């Protein structure tokens, strides 16, 4: 009996020691960094992560940020993603963080994200590796925009998607519902697969990649628990299948010798700077970047226009004017795109209100003093873009969708408008996403109410 009692006592002591260690490790950064911004750390281990990630409308801050900004100011400390964190809702500090990439701050996504994206992904690699991959991405984007067939490919796919809805409006007197978000995903995916891999929407391999990509996307934002059957595990497996498919396409191109498709893959195969693993990862990054943000942007534009009859009418009038000066089946040109001024206002306002990328993950490489704030070395730093986009002091009537606010304003990024990030990690394909959204919208407003 004594032996059993001693074992129980020893187990209790070990458990208490573990709990004490957990509590101390959680709250010790508070004691060691008294000059950090005000804030709270929440419970040990979980911190305030669950509250921070609680779903809310994208054109609102959510209860967590509203509560903490009112209590602690627009820069505060918290404990998120198992790490002491500085949260910035301040436009000046956000700009400072983005512009000091690799000098004072470094990209620092949670480890499970690496498991899905892969260690060679441009989203997670650092330093010279990131610079090398991003330069290649910029070169590919530039070459894509210069291709004569680029705009034509986008328009053909838009016509294919929009045209597929005809005849689906009624079935034996009943109205059929078309899930627009799914249609936007089909369009964006078809465009990026065509540009990157030279595949058309009708090819069986395109549908196979899309199916795996949907599983991949669901797991990317799921709880990172690798247990068979969970979304995270399915995402890791889906990435492996996509990688295998892409490797097969690469081998097929190599065995066929020279290719004149003029897509990303042709350029990648001619490059000696990347390993095969990096080339596959680069293709996945391109698919991810061209698929998710673009489809969400198109969906956001339609969502907000659906609530504003006046703005919809202005967009429709603009596109009717462009179409009236063209032959019946003549494709849109780059000059037509430049004429879509109000459409660009709508796209920018959808990006501001919709907040597709709410925040990014960074880490302080050293103690950083900014104004009255101390950001301790090793702490995570989260610049929150949505808090700046929805700040009424920077954007009048910030909660309202008002495309006219962009008339006469700069169409690029600024300290108070960073929908595609900023600094050395500014999204290289941001302009391509806007072109796709504008062309899709052209055929949507001219063919449907």
């Amino acid at each position: 009996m004594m032996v059993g009692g001693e074992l129980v006592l020893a187990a209790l002591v070990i458990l208490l020691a573990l709990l004490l260690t957990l509590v101390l490790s959680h709250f010790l950064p508070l004691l060691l960094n008294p000059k950090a911004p005000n804030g709270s750390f929440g419970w040990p281990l979980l911190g305030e992560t669950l509250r921070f990630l609680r779903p809310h409308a994208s054109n609102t801050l959510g209860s967590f940020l509203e509560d903490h900004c009112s209590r602690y100011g627009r820069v505060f400390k918290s404990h998120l993603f198992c790490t002491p964190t500085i949260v910035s809702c301040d436009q000046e500090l956000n700009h400072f963080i983005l512009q000091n990439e690799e000098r004072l701050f470094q990209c620092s996504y949670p480890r499970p994200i690496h498991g899905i994206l892969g260690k060679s992904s441009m989203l997670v690699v650092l330093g010279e590796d990131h610079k090398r991959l991003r330069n290649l991405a910029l070169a590919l984007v530039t070459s894509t925009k210069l291709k004569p067939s680029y705009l034509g490919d986008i328009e053909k796919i838009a016509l294919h998607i929009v045209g597929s809805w005809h005849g689906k409006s009624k079935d034996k007197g009943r109205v059929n519902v078309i899930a627009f978000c799914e249609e936007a995903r089909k369009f964006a995916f078809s465009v990026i697969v065509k540009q990157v891999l030279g595949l058309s929407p009708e090819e069986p391999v395109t549908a196979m990649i899309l199916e795996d990509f949907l599983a991949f996307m669901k797991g990317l934002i799921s709880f990172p628990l690798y247990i068979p059957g969970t979304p995270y595990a399915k995402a890791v497996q889906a990435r492996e299948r996509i990688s295998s498919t892409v490797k097969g396409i690469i081998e097929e191109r190599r065995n066929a010798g020279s290719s004149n498709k003029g897509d990303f893959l042709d350029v990648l195969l001619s490059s000696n700077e990347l390993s095969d693993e990096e080339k596959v990862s680069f293709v996945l990054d391109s698919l991810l970047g061209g698929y998710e943000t673009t489809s969400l942007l198109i969906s956001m534009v339609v969502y907000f226009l659906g609530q504003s009859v006046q703005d919809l009418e202005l967009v429709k009038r603009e596109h009717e004017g462009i179409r009236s000066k063209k032959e019946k089946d003549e494709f849109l040109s780059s000059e037509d795109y430049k004429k879509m001024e109000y459409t660009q206002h709508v796209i920018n306002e959808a990006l501001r209100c919709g907040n597709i990328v709410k925040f990014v993950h960074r880490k302080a490489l050293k103690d950083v003093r900014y104004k009255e704030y101390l950001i301790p070395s090793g702490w995570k730093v989260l610049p929150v873009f949505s808090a700046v986009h929805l700040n009424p002091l920077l954007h009048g009537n910030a909660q309202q969708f008002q495309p006219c606010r962009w008339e006469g304003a700069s169409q690029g990024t600024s300290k108070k408008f960073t929908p595609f990030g900023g600094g050395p990690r500014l999204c290289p394909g941001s302009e391509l996403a806007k072109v796709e959204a504008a062309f899709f919208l052209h055929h949507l407003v001219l063919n449907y109410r």
Side-chain angles (χ1 to χ4, degrees):
M1 289 295 292
M2 285 294 292
V3 173
E6 288 172 356
L7 287 174
V8 170
L9 182 61
L12 287 172
V13 169
I14 293 171
L15 181 60
L16 287 172
L18 288 173
L19 290 173
L20 185 60
T21 302
L22 180 63
V23 171
L24 285 174
S25 64
H26 182 80
F27 290 109
L28 193 59
L30 285 174
L31 302 174
L32 297 177
N33 299 281
K35 293 183 180 180
N38 293 329
S40 59
F41 266 28
W43 294 96
L45 194 61
L46 286 177
E48 298 184 300
T49 307
L50 297 182
R51 283 191 62 200
F52 178 73
L53 294 177
R54 187 175 295 163
H56 59 85
S58 61
N59 61 340
T60 68
L61 286 184
S63 58
F64 177 86
L65 288 179
E66 287 176 355
D67 173 62
H68 281 61
C69 285
S70 64
R71 290 170 63 185
Y72 307 117
R74 300 194 70 80
V75 179
F76 58 87
K77 66 181 172 228
S78 182
H79 201 284
L80 303 171
F81 307 102
C82 302
T83 307
T85 303
I86 299 296
V87 180
S88 170
C89 299
D90 178 80
Q91 65 156 338
E92 295 293 340
L93 181 52
N94 285 3
H95 180 75
F96 180 77
I97 293 166
L98 295 175
Q99 295 302 317
N100 281 281
E101 177 83 22
E102 294 296 344
R103 290 190 292 270
L104 302 177
F105 304 95
Q106 192 176 67
C107 182
S108 179
Y109 283 90
R111 185 58 54 185
I113 294 292
H114 295 228
I116 293 183
L117 295 177
K119 64 180 182 180
S120 299
S121 170
M122 186 167 61
L123 297 177
V124 299
V125 294
L126 306 172
E128 290 302 316
D129 287 335
H130 174 262
K131 189 181 295 184
R132 180 166 51 91
L133 291 173
R134 190 172 188 279
N135 286 340
L136 178 58
L138 288 170
L140 287 171
V141 167
T142 300
S143 65
T144 297
K145 288 195 291 186
L146 293 174
K147 280 196 312 179
S149 62
Y150 165 63
L151 296 179
D153 287 340
I154 293 176
E155 193 164 7
K156 286 174 188 174
I157 294 169
L159 284 166
H160 172 76
I161 296 293
V162 172
S164 70
W165 304 339
H166 288 295
K168 290 185 179 180
S169 58
K170 289 186 179 180
D171 179 20
K172 296 181 180 179
R174 294 183 303 173
V175 175
N176 287 339
V177 176
I178 293 172
F180 185 80
C181 286
E182 294 303 320
E183 298 299 306
R185 288 190 180 107
K186 285 181 192 175
F187 167 70
F189 190 78
S190 296
V191 170
I192 196 63
V193 165
K194 176 68 175 176
Q195 298 302 328
V196 176
L197 297 173
L199 299 173
S200 65
E202 297 82 16
E203 294 185 59
V205 69
T206 303
M208 184 173 69
I209 295 174
L210 177 57
E211 185 178 350
D212 283 332
F213 217 79
L214 291 173
F216 174 79
M217 290 307 307
K218 286 179 182 177
L220 192 60
I221 54 172
S222 66
F223 190 77
L225 192 64
Y226 193 93
I227 295 177
T230 61
Y232 181 81
K234 289 180 179 178
V236 174
Q237 293 160 5
R239 186 194 185 282
E240 291 173 356
R241 290 194 298 271
I242 297 170
S243 297
S244 178
T245 302
V246 171
K247 286 175 184 175
I249 295 171
I250 289 175
E251 285 303 314
E252 190 177 320
R253 287 276 185 100
R254 278 179 176 157
N255 294 335
S258 61
S259 170
N260 295 314
K261 288 195 173 185
D263 50 36
F264 279 21
L265 200 55
D266 275 355
V267 181
L268 276 179
L269 289 175
S270 65
S271 171
N272 296 320
E273 295 181 29
L274 304 180
S275 66
D276 278 0
E277 183 183 350
E278 286 176 320
K279 289 176 181 177
V280 171
S281 189
F282 191 90
V283 169
L284 289 174
D285 287 344
S286 302
L287 294 177
L288 174 62
Y291 166 77
E292 185 66 8
T293 54
T294 305
S295 62
L296 281 173
L297 171 58
I298 294 169
S299 299
M300 286 290 183
V301 167
V302 171
Y303 170 79
F304 287 118
L305 281 179
Q307 300 182 33
S308 177
V309 176
Q310 180 181 355
D311 289 312
L312 177 56
E313 184 58 35
L314 288 171
V315 170
K316 188 173 182 179
R317 199 179 304 163
E318 180 173 79
H319 286 278
E320 285 174 340
I322 292 169
R323 181 50 59 185
S324 67
K325 295 185 173 78
K326 304 187 77 65
E327 298 295 328
K328 183 181 178 182
D329 296 321
E330 186 182 354
F331 279 9
L332 294 168
S333 67
S334 57
E335 292 303 313
D336 294 321
Y337 175 65
K338 291 175 185 176
K339 295 175 186 175
M340 299 178 185
E341 293 182 7
Y342 200 77
T343 300
Q344 288 303 316
H345 300 338
V346 168
I347 288 172
N348 278 340
E349 187 66 351
L351 286 167
R352 186 192 69 82
C353 291
N355 292 296
I356 295 167
V357 180
K358 182 179 177 181
F359 62 93
V360 291
H361 295 257
R362 296 291 183 268
K363 179 178 71 175
L365 294 174
K366 59 181 78 172
D367 282 352
V368 178
R369 291 191 177 275
Y370 180 81
K371 295 183 178 178
E372 70 271 29
Y373 309 119
L374 170 68
I375 302 174
S377 175
W379 281 36
K380 182 178 282 289
V381 184
L382 298 183
V384 182
F385 304 146
S386 59
V388 176
H389 294 164
L390 300 174
N391 185 344
L393 298 177
L394 301 174
H395 307 276
N397 298 315
Q399 301 292 330
Q400 301 298 315
F401 179 76
Q402 296 179 345
C404 59
R405 75 172 77 242
W406 293 95
E407 292 176 357
S410 170
Q411 296 296 298
T413 57
S414 66
K415 291 181 183 179
K416 65 179 184 178
F417 183 60
T418 52
F420 295 102
R425 287 185 178 266
L426 176 68
C427 175
S430 56
E431 188 57 35
L432 300 186
K434 290 183 176 184
V435 172
E436 289 178 38
F439 275 39
F440 190 88
L441 198 59
H442 176 81
H443 292 287
L444 180 67
V445 299
L446 293 183
N447 286 281
Y448 293 93
R449 294 194 308 276

